[in-house]
């Protein structure tokens, strides 16, 4: 049995974001433990809220789903942290705007910049939320339409 389409979307986003000019291979699942200094600059990718609505009635109903894809840019906090976060933000938006399967569309939804002292050294985080539209058949959340 395949994974839920939401999991497929997170995996596809991680693949799409691997190899960006600034973050390179430093693309990880979101996690509880702080990102390490050697992993900076880096990206954390996860799913957020999701809503669903029936988009077609009848014997084979189709669910229209809107998933919040969370991408967090992590950089060392120094004099140019904001510029670096916004550079990464530009690279991420440019890459995700191209789209990826099984998403029907991906669009920026929100952004927040935050400073933290939770890692080995102070870190700046740019949290990007992208709205991802996808469809599944009723009773088949592991198959994208």
């Amino acid at each position: 049995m395949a994974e839920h389409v939401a999991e497929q979307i997170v995996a596809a986003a991680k693949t799409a974001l691997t190899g960006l000019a600034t973050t390179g291979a430093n693309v990880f699942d979101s996690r509880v433990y702080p990102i390490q200094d050697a992993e900076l600059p880096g990206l954390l990718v996860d799913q957020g809220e999701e809503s669903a609505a029936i988009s077609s009635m009848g014997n084979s109903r189709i669910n229209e789903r809107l998933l919040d894809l969370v991408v967090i840019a992590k950089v060392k906090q120094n004099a140019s942290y904001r510029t670096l976060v916004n550079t990464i933000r530009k690279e991420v938006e440019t890459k995700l705007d191209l789209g990826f399967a099984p998403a029907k569309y991906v669009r920026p939804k929100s952004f927040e910049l935050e400073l933290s002292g939770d890692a080995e050294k102070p870190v700046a985080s740019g949290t990007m939320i992208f709205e991802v539209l996808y469809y599944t058949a009723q009773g088949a959340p592991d198959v994208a339409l």
Side-chain angles (χ1 to χ4, degrees):
M1 184 173 177
E3 296 174 323
H4 194 286
V5 176
E7 185 66 24
Q8 295 173 40
I9 287 171
V10 172
K14 284 176 52 185
T15 298
L17 296 174
T18 298
L20 296 179
T22 306
T23 54
N26 291 339
V27 180
F28 311 99
D29 282 324
S30 193
R31 55 192 181 194
V32 176
Y33 301 105
I35 194 165
Q36 300 301 307
D37 197 49
E39 300 169 324
L40 297 173
L43 295 172
L44 302 176
V45 182
D46 210 340
Q47 69 186 71
E49 292 184 26
E50 181 175 331
S51 62
I54 296 173
S55 68
S56 74
M57 298 298 284
N59 290 336
S60 55
R61 292 185 187 158
I62 295 176
N63 289 318
E64 178 179 286
R65 298 172 180 254
L66 289 173
L67 171 72
D68 283 350
L69 178 69
V70 181
V71 180
I72 304 171
K74 296 277 192 174
V75 302
K76 293 179 186 178
Q77 186 179 323
N78 56 32
S80 62
Y81 73 88
R82 188 181 61 249
T83 301
L84 186 54
V85 167
N86 281 320
T87 297
I88 295 169
R89 183 178 173 196
K90 178 188 81 169
E91 292 173 4
V92 168
E93 285 186 27
T94 300
K95 189 66 168 184
L96 293 183
D97 278 349
L98 297 173
F100 55 85
K104 295 298 181 188
Y105 75 71
V106 180
R107 73 169 188 87
K109 183 177 177 181
S110 66
F111 173 78
E112 182 178 2
L113 184 63
E114 182 180 12
L115 305 177
S116 171
D118 294 341
E120 295 176 71
K121 296 180 181 173
V123 172
S125 300
T127 301
M128 299 164 266
I129 308 291
F130 293 87
E131 182 179 81
V132 179
L133 173 69
Y134 70 99
Y135 294 94
T136 60
Q138 188 76 21
D142 57 339
V143 179
L145 300 177

